[in-house]
Amino acid sequence: MSQLPSLVSVQVMPDWIDVNGHMNIRHYLEIGSKTTVAGVESCGIDQKYREEERASIFDAETHIRYLNESHIGDALTGHLRFVDVGPKSVHTVVLVVDYKREVLVNVYESLGIHVNMETRRATNFPDHIFRDLEMKVQEDLLLDWLPPVSDSLEVRGGIRALQTQAAR
């Protein structure tokens, strides 16, 4: 995971601990969401884009896996990997890591849909945004490890499916 930049860094606070003595689910959601937002903003879907283009990305589906507990004082980082992109959607996975303990604590996988904010309907990414997202997917495909995905999320018309078909 050190091959991916850290987009979010947090320290687990006392009020983040739930009745079971570990970090509550809502904070994993927040770390995953903030990391995803930072990643898509690096591709141009930032506040200026949202205001000027009246479009954004909505999570259509999210899968969360808990692999290790987090406790008060743990320092966590969020790393984003772009899994696939299609004309209207992007598949990402956030890896939440505790480097001090050298463990992956959480996997936050999501399928984001590009939405026109006026109609509230899915719409194609503009060409320049799609190219940036496609470049991120291609870069991440070059990594020497597979992303820990659930295999339940699929991008319609995604570049990974097209590459698989072309390879046959």
Side-chain angles (χ1 to χ4, degrees):
M1 272 130 327
S2 63
Q3 294 173 312
L4 301 172
S6 170
L7 300 177
V8 171
S9 297
V10 298
Q11 185 170 10
V12 178
M13 306 304 293
D15 63 334
W16 293 10
I17 304 303
D18 65 16
V19 297
N20 295 313
H22 54 217
M23 189 168 86
N24 186 273
I25 183 176
R26 72 180 179 270
H27 301 291
Y28 289 108
L29 287 166
E30 184 176 10
I31 294 167
S33 178
K34 285 183 176 182
T35 303
T36 303
V37 168
V40 297
E41 284 184 346
S42 74
C43 294
I45 304 174
D46 56 12
Q47 188 59 33
K48 180 180 176 186
Y49 175 85
R50 289 187 288 273
E51 290 171 2
E52 291 178 1
E53 300 299 323
R54 298 293 301 142
S56 189
I57 294 182
F58 289 10
D59 273 1
E61 190 168 344
T62 303
H63 293 256
I64 300 175
R65 291 189 325 200
Y66 305 95
L67 305 170
N68 286 282
E69 294 179 285
S70 297
H71 299 96
I72 295 171
D74 286 350
L76 307 177
T77 54
H79 307 262
L80 183 69
R81 181 155 178 184
F82 289 86
V83 178
D84 201 2
V85 64
K88 298 178 182 181
S89 58
V90 61
H91 180 186
T92 58
V93 63
V94 173
L95 307 165
V96 180
V97 178
D98 182 331
Y99 277 105
K100 185 176 180 183
R101 292 187 296 146
E102 298 181 345
V103 295
L104 176 61
V105 297
N106 179 264
V107 177
Y108 174 98
E109 180 184 9
S110 63
L111 181 67
I113 307 297
H114 187 247
V115 174
N116 175 306
M117 297 298 285
E118 300 295 329
T119 64
R120 310 300 272 195
R121 308 282 299 170
T123 186
N124 286 347
F125 290 110
D127 289 342
H128 69 285
I129 297 291
F130 182 81
R131 281 191 306 271
D132 286 349
L133 290 167
E134 184 178 35
M135 183 178 71
K136 295 283 191 180
V137 170
Q138 295 292 358
E139 288 172 4
D140 288 353
L141 283 172
L142 295 175
L143 297 174
D144 60 358
W145 52 279
L146 295 173
V149 294
S150 64
D151 290 331
S152 62
L153 299 181
E154 183 180 331
V155 172
R156 291 183 188 155
I159 63 172
R160 291 182 72 167
L162 296 174
Q163 287 175 340
T164 303
Q165 289 171 357
R168 291 182 186 165

